[in-house]
Amino acid sequence: MNRGATVAQAHDFTHQYAESEDGVTFVLLHGTGGDEYALIGLGNALDADAGVMSPRGKILENGSPRFFRRLAEGVFDMEDLVFRTHELADWIEAAAAEYGIDRDTLVAVGYSNGANIAASMLLLRPETLKRAILLRPMVPLVPESAPDLTGATVHIAAGASDPLIPLKESERLADLLKSYGAEVTFVRQPTGHQLVNADIAAAREWLQHITNA
């Protein structure tokens, strides 16, 4: 996945890009304090031949990059969340066009803050991407207009003892996405906020299932 990778300030997002060798391209969305390199290893573990579009969140919280502002732990600045969701979706669409990537081949892989903005894109901009791996997510917002998520496929991984994302929040997100037509798999790990090998194994199995379908 590191072959030919470059860092560029394209479309106003600093990002990492690598071309796909198997027709799958990950949109890697890091958690708070991460950057465009943070999930490269995770992407390699999921599919070493997949391409990469990995942007760095523009918001800084005490110097730590994020994808949108929050007012407190688990309390989001909703106006900023909506703005940043559309901003990121616009970037994904423009960057995919610039790199010549079919958006049907995109798979969002988001962790924590990155998982939440990926979920927000599914709810507000469902046309941008249809496949997502959401690791430790919660409900970012409930949209005013119901999106049509028919054909969307989502894998959610929650931590049963996550002190930052209550399990019920991840379960609520799964139910919300299903109510709009998405096909959702939900995996609960006996752990906290940090990812474990079982998270990667379950996500890899899900990915192989949808890409071989």
Side-chain angles (χ1 to χ4, degrees):
M1 185 179 291
N2 292 321
R3 63 204 173 277
T6 60
V7 177
Q9 191 77 23
H11 303 292
D12 202 29
F13 266 96
T14 296
H15 66 283
Q16 178 85 351
Y17 169 73
E19 187 174 351
S20 174
E21 292 186 355
D22 66 0
V24 173
T25 297
F26 292 140
V27 179
L28 300 178
L29 301 169
H30 62 78
T32 300
D35 60 19
E36 65 273 27
Y37 299 99
L39 297 187
I40 295 295
L42 173 61
N44 275 320
L46 293 174
D47 178 357
D49 293 326
V52 166
M53 290 169 49
S54 183
R56 183 194 307 171
K58 292 184 178 181
I59 298 300
L60 290 178
E61 181 182 273
N62 299 320
S64 297
R66 285 175 53 84
F67 285 99
F68 58 88
R69 292 190 181 91
R70 61 182 171 183
L71 305 176
E73 192 71 59
V75 181
F76 302 151
D77 179 332
M78 300 307 294
E79 183 177 353
D80 188 66
L81 170 59
V82 171
F83 175 81
R84 299 296 175 185
T85 298
H86 287 292
E87 179 186 51
L88 182 59
D90 287 344
W91 176 79
I92 290 171
E93 293 174 4
E98 181 174 311
Y99 289 128
I101 300 170
D102 181 348
R103 275 193 277 141
D104 287 343
T105 70
L106 297 178
V107 179
V109 180
Y111 169 64
S112 193
N113 177 244
N116 291 336
I117 199 162
S120 187
M121 276 193 292
L122 287 167
L123 295 167
L124 295 179
R125 293 283 292 269
E127 73 281 6
T128 301
L129 47 83
K130 294 288 188 183
R131 300 183 291 183
I133 295 172
L134 307 180
L135 306 166
R136 308 296 187 266
M138 60 187 292
V139 175
L141 54 80
V142 177
E144 294 181 1
S145 301
D148 180 4
L149 293 180
T150 303
T153 309
V154 182
H155 174 84
I156 293 177
S161 56
D162 190 332
L164 300 179
I165 308 292
L167 178 60
K168 64 181 181 181
E169 270 294 310
S170 296
E171 293 173 335
R172 183 171 159 242
L173 176 62
D175 291 341
L176 185 66
L177 295 174
K178 288 177 184 176
S179 73
Y180 297 135
E183 180 179 332
V184 180
T185 62
F186 187 90
V187 176
R188 177 177 54 195
Q189 304 293 353
T191 185
H193 197 63
Q194 295 300 314
L195 300 181
V196 296
N197 288 336
D199 284 305
I200 298 172
R204 186 192 301 120
E205 181 178 353
W206 174 86
L207 182 67
Q208 291 172 344
H209 174 73
I210 66 162
T211 54
N212 293 330

